[in-house]
Amino acid sequence: MPNATPSQRNKILSLSLVFLLTGLLGCSHGSQGEQAAGSSAAPAGAAAAAKAAPAAGSGTAPAAGTGAAPAAAAGTAQGAAAAAPGKAGGSSAPAGAPAAPPAEPPLAKEKIPAVVAKVNGTPIAKGELIKMAEQIHSQLAPNQPETADFYRKVLDQLVSNELLMEEAKAAGITATDEEVNKQVSELKGRFPSPEKYQEELKKEGLTEADLAKQAREAFVLQKLVETKVVNDVKVTDQEVKAFYDQNPDKLKRPERVHVRHILIRVDAKATPEDKKKARAKADDVLAKLKAGGDFAKLAEESSDDPGSKQRGGDLSWVSRNQTVPPFESAAFGLKKPNEISPVVESQFGYHIIQLIEHQDAGMVPFDEVKDKISGFLKQQQQREKFLGHVKALKEKAKVEIFI
């Protein structure tokens, strides 16, 4: 099946916003992506890191393999949510508990003053706050109410940004035109056409000059943090091993199979005759495989799964409950490497599956995960040092907030 489309593909996200919300300013970029392969949860602290961003949504780093294998039936997440305490018709609060305070109403934009803050005398304009808030709201947290508290949290990030830019200027840190132009060119290249790029710019209320300015600012901030703030952070081998030994529950891997497949797609509205032709094609491919045909080559030639056919049908690792039941049953029923399933029918069509490797559930081996643990711990330490640095800047600065 085709790979899932990332939620922010072909979106123009403010480059300074990217900096604010990734890694160092609190969205814990990679806290999921850098967790141990196969672990059931991110290492301790990831959840807290994610909460530090004003409105960063969860799930920005998709789980490995998402969308590569035939997806499990929709509704699992919704069903789990419905089963949780506090669903409609019930109450999660204990008897006699005080009622929750009423939700804060959204803050009308006309009530926001023209200058929302001053940082060492430098004003932060209402327009700057609203633009950043709108980008966060539309792209990262569409369900976040635009309350006064929401705006203050966004403003707090802008204050941090201004203090860091002042520090970078004092240190003589700049970004070259070449660096800026390269970043903007790479962003343009993500769009299918120049027209789509311009369309998205207009939609986000940005000009190319705005984008270039944000790219320059992002590079300056990155250089400052890397060279002046977190440059001396190091993670020792002892720290990595201690984390591994102390967090066995976070480093468990479920039973999984590394498989590849060939899909002969059948449309949901296909006629019986079309289904018969598709089945005949699948049977023909299976016969070629049994006669010694190369699975990868036949996948490239015959598979209707654009997400895997160019990789010889490789779906990488698949755990239980990641695929539709007929596919899962057949994949986990294979016992020996290179064993090939019979033709398997699912709602997507007809599959032929080959087992590459099977792994039982258990702890992820230390050698396999040590680099990822090291990366996570380094990121965590960098984040803590960075936040401490920003806090110290705020304590020394004259910061006036007007909302």
Side-chain angles (χ1 to χ4, degrees), residues 10 15 46 66 89 183 185 203 247 397:
N10 292 348
L15 293 168
T66 298
Q183 180 66 53
S185 294
K203 181 179 176 183
N247 293 275

Side-chain angles (χ1 to χ4, degrees), residues 44-58:
K51 289 180 182 177
S58 61

Side-chain angles (χ1 to χ4, degrees), residues 245-318:
D245 292 339
Q246 293 166 14
N247 293 275
D249 57 322
K250 295 180 176 65
L251 295 163
K252 290 178 181 177
R253 179 163 59 201
E255 180 189 11
R256 60 182 190 163
V257 288
H258 183 182
V259 294
R260 50 187 176 183
H261 83 144
I262 295 170
L263 170 67
I264 308 302
R265 187 185 297 277
V266 177
D267 189 88
K269 298 180 181 179
T271 65
E273 185 62 28
D274 288 337
K275 290 181 179 179
K276 185 176 180 181
K277 288 180 181 178
R279 177 62 195 240
K281 181 178 178 181
D283 288 338
D284 180 60
V285 172
L286 182 60
K288 289 178 180 177
L289 289 168
K290 289 182 175 179
D294 182 87
F295 196 103
K297 184 177 180 182
L298 283 167
E300 291 175 6
E301 294 172 352
S302 305
S303 182
D304 294 324
D305 178 4
S308 68
K309 68 180 296 180
Q310 298 305 320
R311 303 191 302 271
D314 195 341
L315 294 175
S316 190
W317 291 98
V318 176

Side-chain angles (χ1 to χ4, degrees), residues 28 44 176 194 308 339 370 394:
S28 188
T176 67
S308 68
E339 184 179 353
K370 63 182 180 181
K394 288 178 179 177

